Amino acid sequence: MPLSDTYRRDLDRLRDREHALRKEMDRYESAAAKADEEYRRHLASAQRASSASTAKTYLNSAERARKKALGEAAKATAVSKKLADNSRDQTNKRRQLEGALKSEQQAADRETEKRRRMEKDHAREVARLATPTVHYVHIKPAEPEKLRV
């Protein structure tokens, strides 16, 4: 399996992870916004309360809502950092993918050039063998034999 396929799979995995992180971040931001709204609502109720104990109850509820909003915002910030890391990883994988594609293309070009050279050499050899070659052999005329008695 080519290296570029591995990088593509990794890049797809990182994109899926980014999508999941974005959903998670939206969920935390939404929860933080709801908790902040609840905080404001409890504060308003505490200000309108007629008795001190009711106001204290509303203030305690407001404090819990504020802590929850801060916690959710902190989680959203952590996810935001993960998103930034994921984005950096995606950039690196894209760069690695481009390099792998380039090297695979160069290897394919070298292979094509090698095959063309072999085909040309073969065609030359076939052409050489197809042309008749005449070799002239120089034969000396026979010398007359000496007679022996």
Side-chain angles (χ1 to χ4, degrees):
M1 174 170 53
L3 192 58
S4 63
D5 289 346
T6 303
Y7 290 139
R8 279 190 187 99
R9 220 176 33 252
D10 289 346
L11 196 55
D12 288 342
R13 183 184 51 79
L14 286 170
R15 286 183 190 129
D16 292 343
R17 177 74 176 139
E18 178 185 9
H19 181 67
L21 286 172
R22 288 197 186 280
K23 283 177 68 172
E24 186 178 356
M25 188 167 145
D26 289 344
R27 191 174 66 242
Y28 287 139
E29 286 176 344
S30 174
K34 285 179 185 176
D36 193 42
E37 179 60 35
E38 184 179 344
Y39 168 73
R40 292 175 202 281
R41 197 176 58 239
H42 285 297
L43 276 182
S45 295
Q47 291 174 352
R48 288 189 312 258
S50 58
S51 71
S53 65
T54 306
K56 184 176 179 184
T57 304
Y58 280 126
L59 286 175
N60 287 339
S61 295
E63 185 60 28
R64 280 193 305 273
R66 186 181 69 82
K67 286 181 182 179
K68 183 178 179 183
L70 289 175
E72 296 295 325
K75 290 176 185 177
T77 302
V79 171
S80 176
K81 184 185 178 321
K82 288 179 185 178
L83 273 170
D85 292 344
N86 183 288
S87 177
R88 183 194 66 230
D89 292 345
Q90 282 188 39
T91 301
N92 290 339
K93 283 297 175 192
R94 275 191 214 101
R95 195 173 301 127
Q96 289 173 338
L97 175 62
E98 289 169 4
L101 289 173
K102 185 177 179 181
S103 68
E104 288 172 7
Q105 184 60 44
Q106 288 172 344
D109 291 346
R110 282 192 302 271
E111 185 64 33
T112 302
E113 186 59 33
K114 180 180 176 183
R115 191 176 62 250
R116 283 184 189 149
R117 253 193 331 271
M118 288 174 57
E119 288 173 357
K120 282 181 182 179
D121 291 346
H122 178 70
R124 284 186 195 122
E125 184 66 20
V126 167
R128 185 185 67 78
L129 293 174
T131 52
T133 54
V134 179
H135 297 283
Y136 293 100
V137 180
H138 181 67
I139 301 176
K140 292 183 185 178
E143 293 181 8
E145 287 186 33
K146 296 181 183 178
L147 291 173
R148 295 185 188 171
V149 180

